[in-house]
Amino acid sequence: MVLAGVRVLFDEISVFVRGVVLGLMVAAPVGPVGLLCIRRTIQKGLLIGFASGFGAAFADAFFSALAVLGVTAITDLVSTYDDIIYIVGGAFLLFIAWHTWHDKPKSANTDDVERRYLSHIKLKIGGAIKAMLTSFVITLTNPATLFGVLAVVATFGGLKSRVETSTIIFGIFCGSSLWWLMLSGGVSLLRNRFTDEKVIILNRITAVFLFMIAFGALMMGLMHFVGATVALG
């Protein structure tokens, strides 16, 4: 009995480690969330930068749950309406790109230290929640991310029970979160080297890349939509 329990424990640990590795694989490719994570870490600090990726980790875990639980109805739905998802996601990215282009460093006000400190804490908390929601929506409205997660999990999952299913989903969430912590933490070490002028340049460069990704998503969605319309006609 003891040996059997130890074997089960090691099996669960190996499944968790596999999930962590899968989470790193899913999160590591640089995309719109990665760009936002880097920019926000430099401009607004480690908390906001990490929150930008943490929201994507929730979306990665959600997609992974769909994959390992075999929820084909939802994946088929995404496949059927991927054109609309691309268009909505592209439009949302366009808004983020516009906001990023016009976002500028805020000068500190030294008039009231206590009031400024409390306001700073509120802004940090609100900013972190906003950053999480933004990255969650961006990831959730990206069919490429969904199918990428499905492919990775289906290829390397190999699950035998519901317990292993829960373990690997948690592992993927931890692995994805670990990646965003490492990325934002590494970038934060270089944060002091960026002046306001460099931050503005970084914002403009990030905005251009986000615009390119958004334009590609919109074109993909429109092409799929037109193709489906022609086929139905």
Side-chain angles (χ1 to χ4, degrees):
M1 292 291 293
V2 176
L3 290 177
V6 172
R7 183 182 302 172
V8 170
L9 177 61
F10 274 100
D11 286 344
E12 289 302 315
I13 292 176
S14 66
V15 171
F16 175 76
V17 172
R18 193 192 316 161
V20 171
V21 173
L22 292 178
L24 289 169
M25 292 173 60
V26 167
V30 178
V33 176
L35 294 173
L36 288 176
C37 178
I38 294 171
R39 183 189 73 84
R40 287 172 175 171
T41 300
I42 292 174
Q43 184 171 352
K44 301 180 181 180
L46 176 60
L47 175 63
I48 304 299
F50 173 65
S52 298
F54 197 56
F58 276 101
D60 290 339
F62 175 72
F63 287 153
S64 301
L66 296 182
V68 299
L69 294 175
V71 187
T72 57
I74 296 180
T75 55
D76 289 343
L77 183 67
V78 172
S79 179
T80 302
Y81 296 100
D82 60 345
D83 51 351
I84 298 177
I85 296 175
Y86 272 121
I87 293 173
V88 172
F92 186 69
L93 274 180
L94 277 180
F95 171 76
I96 298 297
W98 180 88
H99 184 273
T100 299
W101 180 275
H102 292 87
D103 195 12
K104 297 180 180 179
K106 296 178 175 60
S107 301
N109 184 6
T110 58
D111 293 339
D112 189 339
V113 176
E114 182 179 359
R115 185 176 60 187
R116 181 165 52 88
Y117 178 77
L118 294 175
S119 176
H120 178 72
I121 295 297
K122 292 179 181 179
L123 286 174
K124 280 288 186 182
I125 295 175
I129 295 174
K130 181 180 178 181
M132 287 178 58
L133 291 175
T134 300
S135 59
F136 180 79
V137 172
I138 289 175
T139 308
L140 207 62
T141 54
N142 187 357
T145 302
L146 170 58
F147 294 124
V149 172
L150 292 178
V152 170
V153 174
T155 303
F156 301 101
L159 305 174
K160 300 177 181 178
S161 66
R162 289 190 175 183
V163 175
E164 289 189 355
T165 296
S166 302
T167 302
I168 202 169
I169 292 172
F170 181 65
I172 290 171
F173 173 74
C174 290
S176 181
S177 300
L178 177 62
W179 166 256
W180 296 116
L181 180 61
M182 291 190 299
L183 179 63
S184 57
V187 173
S188 68
L189 297 177
L190 305 174
R191 186 187 178 197
N192 292 333
R193 299 185 181 182
F194 281 80
T195 62
D196 287 353
E197 291 76 13
K198 290 181 179 179
V199 169
I200 293 175
I201 293 174
L202 177 65
N203 287 349
R204 301 289 169 83
I205 294 174
T206 303
V208 170
F209 277 104
L210 290 177
F211 175 80
M212 291 169 62
I213 296 173
F215 182 77
L218 285 171
M219 290 299 99
M220 185 75 70
L222 291 173
M223 288 173 62
H224 287 186
F225 181 78
V226 172
T229 304
V230 171
L232 289 175

